[in-house]
Amino acid sequence: MKGLKTLSKWLVVLGAINWGLVAVLNYNLVTVLLGQWPAVETWVYALVGAAGVWGAYAMLTNTKKK
């Protein structure tokens, strides 16, 4: 479970960096890297979103699993 938690945190961080690039430079790194594979691009966005929901749930419920 610890590995999944770490992966989730990194997905949230990378998603935030990507959105920052989109906002400041109009540069979508996910599209640049995976634009040829729209299905994979969609899965990446879904995984980042799921990681964000999981992180929000953990913060709101004050879950501190080790």
Side-chain angles (χ1 to χ4, degrees):
M1 190 62 117
K2 185 177 179 183
L4 191 57
K5 185 177 176 183
T6 302
L7 176 63
S8 176
K9 286 181 182 180
W10 276 108
L11 283 172
V12 170
V13 168
L14 293 173
I17 290 170
N18 187 58
W19 279 110
L21 288 171
V22 170
V24 174
L25 302 174
N26 197 24
Y27 184 78
N28 190 334
L29 188 59
V30 175
T31 299
V32 169
L33 294 175
L34 301 172
Q36 298 296 322
W37 301 294
V40 176
E41 186 178 356
T42 300
W43 274 101
V44 168
Y45 287 129
L47 287 173
V48 170
V53 169
W54 186 2
Y57 172 77
M59 286 188 326
L60 292 173
T61 60
N62 202 14
T63 305
K64 295 192 183 212
K65 294 181 181 178
K66 295 181 182 177

